[in-house]
């Protein structure tokens, strides 16, 4: 099967059977998992005892061979098997006098390179990009452009050729429909980098949700650590916070009352939560949706509640004249922070609540402050403690049937407890993530058109967040005070992802809005219709042409082709909607 190899164990020891166990290199402080019993060799027939097992190829494995008599350890081998490889592990006695046992791993059939489809897909997309760039350059040549326009619209071309000057004069332009000019002005005022950032996060999220070619690094990390899939949702939350700052500033500047704006915030939050519960609910796969198995937390639910808190916080404590610089500041270098000190106090109080609940809340049967996955982790001492306080709060308040049933920890750590990565306690740090994005928006507002100031402050925030992450994690995946963990939405996870987010926003802002070296395409288009693309990709996930029956379901290449095709279709759909000026806003 995909991500597996065949291992044939040959036991040439005449008098003792073997017990084969394995431990994944991705499983921290885990128990060895029994794989097979290998019978002793038949001395009279000189036939070795054999056993065939499937081994995982996603991560390095440690194989442990023990004697079935006395459970004596005979050998231990660390090896990273290759996908679809065929291996033999030969166990024999080197010396009858010393009873020294040797374990030799032999490659019978070499594995395939499962990453080649990624390279091929990359080359295909680069080829398409090269063709588009060359085509755009050719379109800047007048004869080529005129020939193309004539082929596409010959009547209009003839009219221009037969007209007095061949091009409309200034009077004609002024007297014509002014809508394009107004749209152009609006486009210049809107920062394309924000929509590009949002679209990039969204497209990676769609690709990951569709399966990511079934590669492990396009799936969520089993517990501590980061993969590509763990980056995109917090980036989306981050840019939502940035948009809140810019949109509320614009609305209030146009004279809308705060009560009216608050009503819009409440309505939008309600719609996001409702869509998440009713439309985008993964428990549909369990059959007709009912209250018995309805998943209450979710991505849109968390976005809705986070939006409610952060937008209300910004609305309540925003100060007139602060962004325009008319307020006197004792420290001008902190003019985007000091006027909003009540917001910072509120956020710090939320973080204190998260820390207290996480490390001080008593959880039955679990050590206080437990942050582990449970299952076979921590040497199997706390199998039912998945997520510690975070999991306990969800199971207590929402019920086991109303949270996510198949967490990412179940694969590596063999956990059996339901756990929701979008649960209640983690929402606190999601609010903090959006608040950091809100701070990025304030920087853009306070230092409008001061590009060096904006970029330098993005860089400073990134460095600060990186330093905090280094302290919290001790620059380690497993040994820090608070490890990076997407399932828990740990504080170190937020500071690490926000460190990357500030840097990424800086780069996109520089390329798209300052130097205009990049238009933001193709990510700009889904970024302009993010809610429609997200809900659409969830609702139509199992429908053609986004999904079809595969010839070989155990092929990374076929899964990658299907997932990339589906993701590309949503980019094309968002482009068509953009060209037709169709935007779904909540």
């Amino acid at each position: 099967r995909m991500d597996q190899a065949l291992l044939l164990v040959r036991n040439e020891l005449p008098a003792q059977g073997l017990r084969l166990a394995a431990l994944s290199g991705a499983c921290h402080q885990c128990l060895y998992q029994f794989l097979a019993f290998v019978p002793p060799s038949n001395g009279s027939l000189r036939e070795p005892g054999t056993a065939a097992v499937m081994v995982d190829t996603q991560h390095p494995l440690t194989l442990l061979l023990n004697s079935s008599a006395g459970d004596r350890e005979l050998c231990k081998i660390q090896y990273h098997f290759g996908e679809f490889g065929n291996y033999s592990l030969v166990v024999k006695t080197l010396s009858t006098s010393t009873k020294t046992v040797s374990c030799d791993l032999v490659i019978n059939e070499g594995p395939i390179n499962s990453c080649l489809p990624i390279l091929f897909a990359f080359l295909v997309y680069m080829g398409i990009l090269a063709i588009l760039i060359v085509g755009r350059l050719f379109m800047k040549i007048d004869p080529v452009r005129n020939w193309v326009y004539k082929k596409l619209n010959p009547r209009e071309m003839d009219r221009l050729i037969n007209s007095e000057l061949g091009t409309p004069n200034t009077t004609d332009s002024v007297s014509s429909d002014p809508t394009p000019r107004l749209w152009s002005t609006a486009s210049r005022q809107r920062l394309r980098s924000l929509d590009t950032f949002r679209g990039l996060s969204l497209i990676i999220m769609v690709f990951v949700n569709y399966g990511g070619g079934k590669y492990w690094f396009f799936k969520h990390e089993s517990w501590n650590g980061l993969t590509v899939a763990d980056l995109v949702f917090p980036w989306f939350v981050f840019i939502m916070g940035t948009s809140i700052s810019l949109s509320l500033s614009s609305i209030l500047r146009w004279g809308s009352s705060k009560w009216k704006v608050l009503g819009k915030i409440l309505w939008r939050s309600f719609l996001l939560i409702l869509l998440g519960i009713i439309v985008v609910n993964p428990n549909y796969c369990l059959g007709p949706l009912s209250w018995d198995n309805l998943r209450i937390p979710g991505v849109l639910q968390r976005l809705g509640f986070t939006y409610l808190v952060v937008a209300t916080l910004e609305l309540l404590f925003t100060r007139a004249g602060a962004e325009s610089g008319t307020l006197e500041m004792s420290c001008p270098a902190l003019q985007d922070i000091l006027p909003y000190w009540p917001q910072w106090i509120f956020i710090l109080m939320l973080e204190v609540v998260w820390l207290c609940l996480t490390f001080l809340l008593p959880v039955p049967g679990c050590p206080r402050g437990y942050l582990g996955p449970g299952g076979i982790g921590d040497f199997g001492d706390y199998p039912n403690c998945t997520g510690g306080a975070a999991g306990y709060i969800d199971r207590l308040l929402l019920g086991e049937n109303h949270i996510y049933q198949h967490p990412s920890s179940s694969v590596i750590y063999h956990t059996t407890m339901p756990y929701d990565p979008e649960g209640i306690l983690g929402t606190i740090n999601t609010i903090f993530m959006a608040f950091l994005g809100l701070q990025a928006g304030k920087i853009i507002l306070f230092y409008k058109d001061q590009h060096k100031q904006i970029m330098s402050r993005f860089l400073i925030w990134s460095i600060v967040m990186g330093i905090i992450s280094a302290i919290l994690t001790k620059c380690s995946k497993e040994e820090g005070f608070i490890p990076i963990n997407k399932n828990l939405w740990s504080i170190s996870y937020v500071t690490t992802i926000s460190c990357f987010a500030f840097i990424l926003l800086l780069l996109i802002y520089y390329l798209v809005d300052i130097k205009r070296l990049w238009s933001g395409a193709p990510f700009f288009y889904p970024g302009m219709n993010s809610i429609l693309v997200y809900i659409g990709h969830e609702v139509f996930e199992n429908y053609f042409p986004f999904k079809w029956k595969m010839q070989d379901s155990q092929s990374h290449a076929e899964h990658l082709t299907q997932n990339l095709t589906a993701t590309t279709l949503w980019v094309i759909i968002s482009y068509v909607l953009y060209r037709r000026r169709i935007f779904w806003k909540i």
Side-chain angles (χ1 to χ4, degrees):
R1 296 174 65 88
M2 189 163 47
D3 296 324
Q4 287 185 340
L6 175 65
L7 176 64
L8 179 67
V9 185
R10 297 167 55 90
N11 181 12
E12 297 183 3
L13 303 181
Q16 53 184 321
L18 303 175
R19 291 175 57 86
L20 176 66
L23 174 64
S24 171
C27 201
H28 180 62
Q29 293 183 342
C30 290
L31 297 172
Y32 278 89
Q33 298 300 293
F34 174 76
L35 292 182
F37 172 77
V38 188
S41 67
N42 190 326
S44 60
L45 300 177
R46 294 185 177 180
E47 292 183 355
T50 60
V53 294
M54 299 296 176
V55 291
D56 179 66
T57 62
Q58 297 183 47
H59 307 284
L61 287 182
T62 301
L63 299 177
L64 178 65
L65 275 170
N66 287 346
S67 170
S68 59
D71 205 28
R72 179 171 65 94
E73 180 180 319
L74 299 178
C75 59
K76 184 184 291 186
I77 298 174
Q78 287 186 331
Y79 194 76
H80 195 166
F81 294 92
E83 186 175 16
F84 297 128
N86 188 320
Y87 302 85
S88 290
L89 179 59
V90 181
V91 184
K92 57 187 178 181
T93 304
L94 288 179
S95 172
T96 55
S97 59
T98 61
K99 296 184 179 180
T100 303
V101 175
S102 73
C103 300
D104 299 319
L105 192 64
V106 181
I107 301 176
N108 303 322
E109 184 178 341
I112 66 169
N113 189 339
S114 59
C115 291
L116 281 179
I118 298 178
L119 176 61
F120 182 75
F122 175 78
L123 294 175
V124 169
Y125 278 95
M126 287 299 101
I128 295 173
L129 179 62
I131 292 171
L132 293 175
I133 292 174
V134 171
R136 188 169 184 178
L137 292 175
F138 271 106
M139 286 298 290
K140 291 182 179 181
I141 304 173
D142 289 341
V144 175
R145 185 170 65 250
N146 293 337
W147 181 82
V148 172
Y149 286 162
K150 185 175 182 179
K151 290 294 182 181
L152 293 177
N153 196 349
R155 291 184 180 181
E156 178 66 15
M157 196 66 185
D158 291 340
R159 187 189 70 79
L160 291 176
I161 292 174
N162 296 328
S163 67
E164 183 178 348
L165 296 177
T167 56
N169 58 30
T170 307
T171 307
D172 294 334
S173 298
V174 173
S175 61
S176 63
D177 185 7
T179 303
R181 184 180 297 272
L182 292 175
W183 177 262
S184 176
T185 303
S187 297
R188 288 193 202 101
Q189 292 176 352
R190 186 182 181 100
L191 288 173
R192 292 179 70 94
S193 56
L194 302 187
D195 294 308
T196 303
F197 186 106
R198 185 187 300 110
L200 174 62
S201 305
L202 179 61
I203 288 307
I204 300 176
M205 191 187 301
V206 170
F207 173 66
V208 166
N209 289 348
Y210 276 152
K214 299 298 181 181
Y215 291 100
W216 68 268
F217 41 81
F218 289 137
K219 299 176 183 178
H220 292 294
E221 184 63 78
S222 55
W223 200 246
N224 294 334
L226 282 178
T227 64
V228 175
D230 297 322
L231 301 174
V232 288
F233 180 38
W235 279 354
F236 196 86
V237 172
F238 179 89
I239 207 64
M240 180 183 73
T242 307
S243 301
I244 287 172
S245 178
L246 299 177
S247 61
L248 286 184
S249 172
S250 176
I251 292 172
L252 295 176
R253 196 165 54 245
W254 282 98
S256 296
S257 68
K258 287 191 174 184
W259 285 108
K260 185 177 180 180
V261 176
L262 180 61
K264 290 182 178 180
I265 292 171
L266 292 170
W267 177 245
R268 191 181 193 202
S269 303
F270 170 75
L271 286 179
L272 284 171
I273 294 172
L274 190 67
L275 286 170
I277 292 177
I278 295 179
V279 179
V280 186
N281 200 306
N283 280 355
Y284 275 126
C285 62
L286 301 178
L289 193 62
S290 70
W291 290 110
D292 294 334
N293 57 12
L294 178 74
R295 182 192 177 195
I296 297 176
V299 170
L300 286 181
Q301 296 92 306
R302 180 170 282 193
L303 281 176
F305 187 78
T306 300
Y307 175 81
L308 173 64
V309 174
V310 176
T312 304
L313 190 65
E314 175 68 1
L315 183 67
L316 291 177
F317 295 106
T318 188
R319 298 176 61 183
E323 296 156 8
S324 59
T326 57
L327 293 179
E328 293 185 3
M329 298 287 170
S330 58
C331 184
L334 299 176
Q335 60 175 322
D336 54 328
I337 299 176
L338 292 180
Y340 302 97
W341 62 266
Q343 295 179 348
W344 283 98
I345 291 177
F346 178 81
I347 293 297
L348 290 175
M349 289 174 60
L350 282 182
E351 289 306 313
V352 170
V353 170
W354 183 85
L355 289 170
C356 290
L357 288 175
T358 300
F359 291 101
L360 300 180
L361 181 70
V363 178
C366 306
R368 191 166 294 187
Y370 182 71
L371 299 176
I376 63 173
D378 300 293
F379 307 110
D381 292 336
Y382 316 110
N384 298 323
C385 294
T386 304
Y392 174 67
I393 290 173
D394 289 340
R395 293 189 292 270
L396 180 67
L397 299 182
L398 303 177
E400 290 190 4
N401 293 331
H402 297 291
I403 60 178
Y404 195 51
Q405 301 296 308
H406 306 287
S408 58
S409 58
S410 62
V411 178
I412 299 289
Y413 289 93
H414 302 283
T415 58
T416 57
M417 299 294 290
Y419 179 83
D420 208 306
E422 278 76 51
I424 296 172
L425 192 57
T427 305
I428 292 177
N429 285 335
T430 310
I431 292 170
F432 180 41
M433 186 78 197
F435 183 74
L436 291 172
L438 187 80
Q439 186 61 38
K442 287 188 174 74
I443 292 172
I444 294 172
L445 287 172
F446 273 88
Y447 301 97
K448 187 177 182 180
D449 298 327
Q450 301 178 47
H451 302 312
K452 288 185 179 180
Q453 286 279 7
I454 291 174
M455 291 193 297
S456 63
R457 286 172 187 277
F458 284 170
L459 181 61
I460 290 170
W461 272 102
S462 178
I463 293 172
V464 170
M465 291 295 107
I467 291 173
I468 294 174
S469 297
I471 294 172
L472 291 176
T473 63
K474 298 181 182 178
C475 298
S476 167
K477 179 181 176 181
E478 304 285 354
E479 306 301 330
F481 300 109
I482 303 178
I484 297 171
N485 190 296
K486 190 268 179 186
N487 282 290
L488 296 173
W489 269 77
S490 62
I491 183 65
S492 57
Y493 173 68
V494 170
T495 55
T496 301
I497 301 297
S498 61
C499 168
F500 299 154
F502 275 110
I503 286 291
L504 182 61
L505 183 58
L506 186 156
L507 293 174
I508 296 177
Y509 177 72
Y510 178 78
L511 293 173
V512 175
D513 286 321
I514 297 179
K515 292 298 183 180
R516 300 185 185 275
L517 299 174
W518 177 32
S519 66
F523 306 114
F524 171 77
Y525 307 115
M528 292 286 289
N529 246 323
S530 56
I531 296 298
L532 186 147
V533 171
Y534 182 81
I535 293 179
H537 100 276
E538 288 277 6
V539 172
F540 296 103
E541 177 181 2
N542 294 315
Y543 293 88
F544 184 84
F546 305 102
K547 194 172 187 178
W548 59 84
K549 186 176 181 179
M550 297 182 182
Q551 294 293 324
D552 182 7
S553 62
Q554 299 303 315
S555 167
H556 279 294
E558 285 207 41
H559 281 282
L560 186 65
T561 301
Q562 186 177 91
N563 301 153
L564 284 175
T565 301
T567 305
T568 303
L569 284 173
W570 282 112
V571 174
I572 295 172
I573 290 170
S574 62
Y575 173 74
V576 172
L577 293 175
Y578 174 80
R579 298 295 297 179
R580 294 179 177 273
R581 302 292 186 258
I582 299 173
F583 306 104
W584 186 26
K585 304 293 183 183
I586 294 180

